[in-house]
Amino acid sequence: MRRVLALVVAIASTAAGAGEVRAPATFLSPEQRALQDDPSRHPGWLWVDAGETLWRSAPPTGRPSCQGCHGEIATMRGVATRYPAVAPSGELVNLEGRIETCRSEKQQAPAFGYESEHLLSLTAAIALQSRGLPMAVATEGPAARFVSEGRRLYTMRQGQLNLSCAQCHDENVGRRLRGDVISSGVGTGYPAYRLEWNRMGSLHRRLRACSLGVRATQFDYGASEYLALELYLAVRAGGLPIETPGLRR
């Protein structure tokens, strides 16, 4: 299997130099990019619309809605560029985790749950407010150890195929693997609508798919390993614009 995979990569044409980090949209076909940029045709906007409704809706506990505390959802502009981030508790949380904390602690309502329609929708709607803004996560202080762990995971060979994230997303950026172009592997478009899923999905769902692809351990959604890796991917994406809701093949 490793020899087959290596052969597929080796014979593919190169579109970018090794180690070059590019925005995910640059790897889309012209048709896919046009679809990503068109809210009237992009199916991911159905989740955004649902998320905006959730933002305005009070939970059944009678506690305030998101809007009741934060105001219009436009006040979230810039928030997504700073996640994942270290919480006051010392734990690393991504945007989904921050939403779930507000949900359980402030609204005193049951958490939505990873990969649920509600959480995907609300995350997409909030991240959309930062669309076009550059990623700028914190890397110093309490975040430093998580960045280091994410870097370790990114460069570590794993699974039965003995491959690391870096071997695909640094060394073979722009090459074709079967019908796909290998991207720089950053998460600036998530939650994203993937055509193969026929629905919206989180970055952790994509990371789990990558783990499965190299026959490695799949961690749970929200696992510390995926959170550290998500932070390191955000560091690599520093300065690149948020594309949420992205469109992926």
Side-chain angles (χ1 to χ4, degrees):
M1 181 66 179
R2 276 183 289 180
R3 291 179 180 176
V4 173
L5 181 62
L7 178 62
V8 171
V9 172
I11 64 176
S13 60
T14 302
E20 181 183 358
V21 180
R22 291 164 43 194
T26 65
F27 295 94
L28 298 176
S29 69
E31 295 77 17
Q32 290 168 345
R33 189 163 186 173
L35 183 58
Q36 176 173 280
D37 293 340
D38 186 350
S40 68
R41 297 191 301 130
H42 187 341
W45 245 264
L46 296 173
W47 279 261
V48 170
D49 291 344
E52 291 177 349
T53 298
L54 279 170
W55 179 268
R56 298 188 296 268
S57 303
T61 58
R63 303 290 293 178
S65 65
C66 303
Q67 183 165 297
C69 285
H70 299 284
E72 297 290 335
I73 196 169
T75 62
M76 294 292 102
R77 183 167 174 79
V79 168
T81 67
R82 303 192 293 271
Y83 279 88
V86 180
S89 64
E91 296 180 326
L92 185 65
V93 296
N94 57 7
L95 185 55
E96 289 93 332
R98 186 67 185 88
I99 292 169
E100 291 285 64
T101 298
C102 276
R103 173 80 176 169
S104 59
E105 294 184 1
K106 304 299 184 183
Q107 296 185 325
Q108 298 179 358
F112 291 126
Y114 240 102
E115 241 27 54
S116 66
E117 294 294 294
H118 284 343
L119 185 57
L120 288 168
S121 297
L122 194 50
T123 305
I126 292 173
L128 172 65
Q129 309 311 309
S130 300
R131 203 173 204 222
L133 297 182
M135 287 296 297
V137 293
T139 60
E140 304 298 328
R145 66 184 181 95
F146 295 109
V147 174
S148 178
E149 174 63 6
R151 182 185 298 109
R152 184 188 71 83
L153 292 167
Y154 183 81
T155 57
M156 180 182 70
R157 289 175 179 264
Q158 56 185 303
Q160 292 179 345
L161 297 189
N162 195 34
L163 291 172
S164 70
C165 307
Q167 285 177 277
C168 280
H169 299 294
D170 279 346
E171 299 172 17
N172 290 291
V173 173
R175 291 182 173 176
R176 286 193 172 275
L177 178 60
R178 304 185 187 90
D180 274 337
V181 178
I182 300 176
S183 74
S184 296
V186 297
T188 51
Y190 284 86
Y193 186 94
R194 291 191 69 90
L195 300 177
E196 66 172 314
W197 297 340
N198 199 31
R199 67 187 298 270
M200 195 77 90
S202 71
L203 177 60
H204 286 206
R205 180 176 180 180
R206 186 68 189 98
L207 294 178
R208 283 172 56 84
C210 283
S211 296
L212 179 64
V214 298
R215 308 296 187 266
T217 299
Q218 286 183 292
F219 300 110
D220 292 336
Y221 292 109
S224 60
E225 293 87 352
Y226 285 150
L227 287 169
L229 185 54
E230 181 179 356
L231 176 60
Y232 183 64
L233 296 182
V235 172
R236 294 180 73 248
L240 296 181
I242 285 183
E243 298 178 11
T244 310
L247 182 87
R248 303 291 180 262
R249 187 174 182 277

